[in-house]
Each structure stands twice: as structure tokens, then as C-alpha cells.
Amino acid sequence: MKRIIRYIGVPLASLAAVASTAAPAFASSTPTSAVTPTQIAQLQSDINARITFLDTLSGRIQSSKTLTQSDAATLAGVVGSSSSGDIAAMQSLLASVPSITTEGQLHLTYETLYDNYRIYAVVGPQVDLTIAQDQILSISSELINLEPTLNSLIASNGNNPTATAAYANLVTSAAQAQSTASGLGSYAVSLTPTIYNTDPTGTHTTITNDWQQLKGASANIKTARSDISTIMKNV
């Protein structure tokens, strides 16, 4: 009950990163132009940045105490270092960089990096939204399960008006938080680069809206916890 929702309030960091990592332009070159050491170094840096980011996401998945078993397995599979995970894919892509000799090859590698994986635009929000959603569902369930005990406590101590009002507010707030988080369904955990590539604007909008919904649910959780404090002070 004392757990704080860490992932709400920092949101869209993953999306913000997209703006600062736009794909490089190749308009002034030809596919057969030789690549420069600077271009190779930049590509390596871009891939390594994604590996570091994925490692951070992996740590968040592993440290979460409220992810469902199914969601944790799905996210770990997407991010992880197994043969199908993005960390393994980035490491493989990084290993291929020394063989790049032309602008055309460089361009194709960047297309793969962006279009096939969407580490910042998709995977980051996928992990953080799912963690936040599952955390709200877990905490709201704990609050709802606590309600009968609190109600009995209030009744056994004379139905203090302040405690009674706080209890009514608690019931409403906890239910609203749970309803909001449940209403988001499996969208976050089911995100893929293909979904993004098909409709980048719509996907971005949905992710942003989901964060706003979860921020509202987080506020409901905070209110419910405050109501419990009020009840305990007045029984």
C-alpha cells in the first residue's frame, strides 16, 4: 500500500528521445560513396546507446514486483538477450558495422535500426506503460481488498463522520484507478514496430493518451491512500 508509482510522472522520456535521434540524411551522397570513419563511429554510437537503453529497461522489468507473470515474460522476451530479443539484435547489428563500406549499406543499416526495432518509439513506452499499468492494477486491488476491514473498523468505532466520508471517497478513488488501468487493456504490452510503422502518428497519440490516463489513475491511488490516513486518524 505504501508503494509509489515510479513510472508515472517521468513518462514519455522514451518518446522524447526520438526527437533527438532522427535518422541521418543521405541526400548529398550516392549509394556507392565510401563511408567515412565518422559515419561508422556515429552508427556504432547510435547502436550502443540503444543497447544501454535496453539494459535499463531490462533492469526495470526484473525489479518490478507488480508485473504479471505473463507481461514480465513478454517484455523480457522483447528486450532480452535471447536470440529473438532486441539486445541480441542490437549486438548482432553492431557486429556487422565493420563490414559496411558504402553509403548504401550504411543507409540500409539505419533503416533496419529504425524501422525494424523502434527501440525508443515503441519498446521504451511498451515497457514503462505496462509496468505502470500493472502496478496500478496491483495497488488498486490491494486497496479494494482492504475496504471491508476499514468499513468494519469505522463501524466498530461509532461511524465517525470524517472517517465515513473518507471511506466513501476511498471506495470511489480505488475503483476509478482500477477501472482506468483495466480499460487500457493489452495495448501497451502488445505494441510492435509494425504497429508503429503502419500508423506512427496514431500510435504516438495513443501512447500519449495512455500515459495521461495512467497519471490520472496514479492521482486516484494517491487520493485513496490519503483517505486511509484520514480514516485511521478518526477511528
Side-chain angles (χ1 to χ4, degrees):
M1 195 166 63
K2 294 182 178 179
R3 284 172 293 180
I4 298 173
I5 298 180
R6 294 173 42 210
Y7 299 93
I8 300 176
V10 191
L12 302 185
S14 304
L15 294 180
V18 177
S20 62
T21 56
F26 296 88
S28 61
S29 62
T30 62
T32 56
S33 298
V35 294
T36 66
T38 298
Q39 288 175 310
I40 291 296
Q42 183 60 58
L43 175 57
Q44 290 171 327
S45 176
D46 289 342
I47 297 172
N48 276 317
R50 284 161 174 78
I51 292 173
T52 299
F53 183 62
L54 288 166
D55 284 336
T56 299
L57 294 178
S58 180
R60 293 178 191 169
I61 295 166
Q62 293 174 29
S63 64
S64 174
K65 300 183 186 308
T66 54
L67 271 172
T68 66
Q69 185 175 4
S70 174
D71 287 349
T74 298
L75 295 178
V78 170
V79 171
S81 56
S82 66
S83 59
S84 60
D86 284 346
I87 290 176
M90 292 298 102
Q91 290 170 336
S92 177
L93 202 61
L94 186 63
S96 73
V97 172
S99 66
I100 296 173
T101 59
T102 68
E103 291 275 3
Q105 292 171 332
L106 184 69
H107 194 175
L108 287 174
T109 302
Y110 267 113
E111 285 185 345
T112 298
L113 181 63
Y114 282 81
D115 294 346
N116 291 8
Y117 297 102
R118 298 291 180 189
I119 303 301
Y120 295 128
V122 172
V123 182
Q126 178 184 27
V127 170
D128 287 345
L129 279 169
T130 303
I131 290 174
Q133 182 182 13
D134 283 2
Q135 193 169 28
I136 288 172
L137 287 171
S138 176
I139 295 173
S140 61
S141 292
E142 288 182 2
L143 293 171
I144 291 170
N145 290 338
L146 186 62
E147 288 170 6
T149 300
L150 292 172
N151 193 32
S152 296
L153 183 63
I154 293 168
S156 65
N157 283 275
N159 291 310
N160 176 276
T162 301
T164 300
Y167 175 78
N169 198 51
L170 160 66
V171 171
T172 299
S173 297
Q176 183 60 57
Q178 187 174 72
S179 176
T180 297
S182 296
L184 299 182
S186 61
Y187 178 81
V189 76
S190 301
L191 275 172
T192 65
T194 299
I195 291 173
Y196 181 92
N197 293 337
T198 300
D199 183 13
T201 300
T203 304
H204 178 91
T205 298
T206 301
I207 289 171
T208 302
N209 288 342
D210 282 4
W211 269 122
Q212 295 305 316
Q213 291 288 317
L214 290 175
K215 285 176 68 177
S218 177
N220 290 140
I221 294 292
K222 183 177 180 180
T223 296
R225 292 182 59 195
S226 177
D227 290 329
I228 291 174
S229 178
T230 299
I231 291 168
M232 300 308 296
K233 289 176 181 177
N234 289 276
V235 293

